[in-house]
Amino acid sequence: MNLKQMVGYKAAEFVKDGMIVGLGTGSTAYYMVEAVGKRVKEEGLQIVGVTTSFRTADHAREWGIPLKDIDDVDHIDVTIDGADEISSEYQGIKGGGAAHLFEKVVANLSDQIIWIVDESKLVEQLGAFPLPVEVVHFGAGQVFRLFEKSGYNPSWRKEEDGERLVTDSGNLIIDLHMGVIEEPKRLATWLDSITGVVEHGLFLDCVDRVIVGSEQGPVVEDVDRG
Ligand code: 5RP
């Protein structure tokens, strides 16, 4: 079993009958959806899923997981999702799979958030992984230039064919290559203030539990936010 599969399957153990479950996106969340799907099929686990991307929705349907639109639930009991980086203070970068807008909408409605990662995602400080920023098409080049002027080394997220990637919401993604993000909260506040920015991949002060995959097995870390 690879590390992503290990943590995906471990996380599925935290899903209980009757829960509304946020289903994350990415190659690690893929295994969690698979494991939850198996429990639905084999144990008759009764849950409702709320998905964070079109591809997760397709995958969940393949497993027969009943789904609801986010607007048709009043809360989500637990959301299980991957992450691109987790700092020593449990702050995160997400959006490597271009789904951070839906992922943040789902996270904001969730009573509990679990991130599942292999140990390569743990860092002291955020920023080695490019920070995704989703922007509307109109004026996207202006936002790009603003990032250039600010010294944030932006690049367009591209598809394999070289075309600019378009998200599930029809927007573009600019990745910021910052190296180290010294002040994530200050950066998040600035990004939130830019017209044309829809959402960025800084997920701050939100995770409740992290499941880390290592050769020794999955390690469950509960986050104490005081
Ligand atoms: C998608 C995400 C993913 O959770 C993140 O990119 C981690 O993906 P993976 O598990 O494939 O490494 O934020 O937008």
Side-chain angles (χ1 to χ4, degrees):
M1 192 183 274
N2 70 46
L3 299 185
K4 292 184 178 197
Q5 189 175 10
M6 177 198 288
V7 291
Y9 274 64
K10 181 70 190 172
E13 294 174 12
F14 291 96
V15 176
K16 308 288 178 216
D17 258 332
M19 280 185 164
I20 303 174
V21 182
L23 301 171
T25 293
S27 57
T28 316
Y30 178 94
Y31 288 112
M32 174 275 299
V33 172
E34 181 179 276
V36 170
K38 281 187 185 172
R39 291 190 58 200
V40 167
K41 264 204 162 84
E42 293 164 13
E43 296 170 26
L45 178 73
Q46 300 276 336
I47 60 150
V48 167
V50 175
T51 56
T52 54
S53 63
F54 297 157
R55 59 188 183 278
T56 295
D58 289 344
H59 189 204
R61 278 191 208 98
E62 280 168 23
W63 280 101
I65 300 174
L67 299 180
K68 276 197 177 177
D69 188 276
I70 183 129
D71 284 337
D72 295 331
V73 297
D74 59 4
H75 77 289
I76 292 169
D77 293 293
V78 61
T79 286
I80 304 170
D81 205 348
D84 298 302
E85 275 187 349
I86 304 176
S87 75
S88 56
E89 296 182 332
Y90 295 104
Q91 310 292 30
I93 288 182
K94 289 181 49 52
H100 62 278
L101 171 59
F102 286 9
E103 289 171 338
K104 202 176 278 190
V105 173
V106 169
N108 287 345
L109 202 64
S110 302
D111 295 341
Q112 196 195 17
I113 296 173
I114 302 176
W115 284 344
I116 49 177
V117 292
D118 62 66
E119 55 192 354
S120 72
K121 306 287 186 71
L122 303 182
V123 297
E124 186 55 37
Q125 273 183 295
L126 300 178
F129 191 90
L131 176 66
V133 183
E134 183 158 342
V135 297
V136 297
H137 285 255
F138 188 80
Q142 299 295 345
V143 178
F144 191 95
R145 283 199 276 282
L146 175 64
F147 291 151
E148 275 180 329
K149 276 190 210 138
S150 306
Y152 292 158
N153 298 317
S155 66
W156 296 106
R157 182 79 62 89
K158 300 245 178 89
E159 299 277 13
E160 276 174 15
D161 62 7
E163 290 296 311
R164 289 195 288 195
L165 180 143
V166 175
T167 67
D168 284 356
S169 296
N171 298 310
L172 302 171
I173 291 189
I174 300 172
D175 288 309
L176 305 182
H177 303 259
M178 301 182 61
V180 174
I181 299 174
E182 296 289 353
E183 295 182 280
K185 288 186 184 174
R186 187 191 281 264
L187 178 63
T189 303
W190 181 67
L191 291 169
D192 286 336
S193 77
I194 299 171
T195 305
V197 167
V198 182
E199 195 50 77
H200 55 78
L202 284 168
F203 281 58
L204 306 180
D205 299 334
C206 64
V207 72
D208 300 290
R209 177 172 285 164
V210 176
I211 306 178
V212 183
S214 72
E215 293 303 334
Q216 288 72 44
V219 177
V220 179
E221 298 176 19
D222 286 325
V223 180
D224 179 9
R225 298 217 168 271

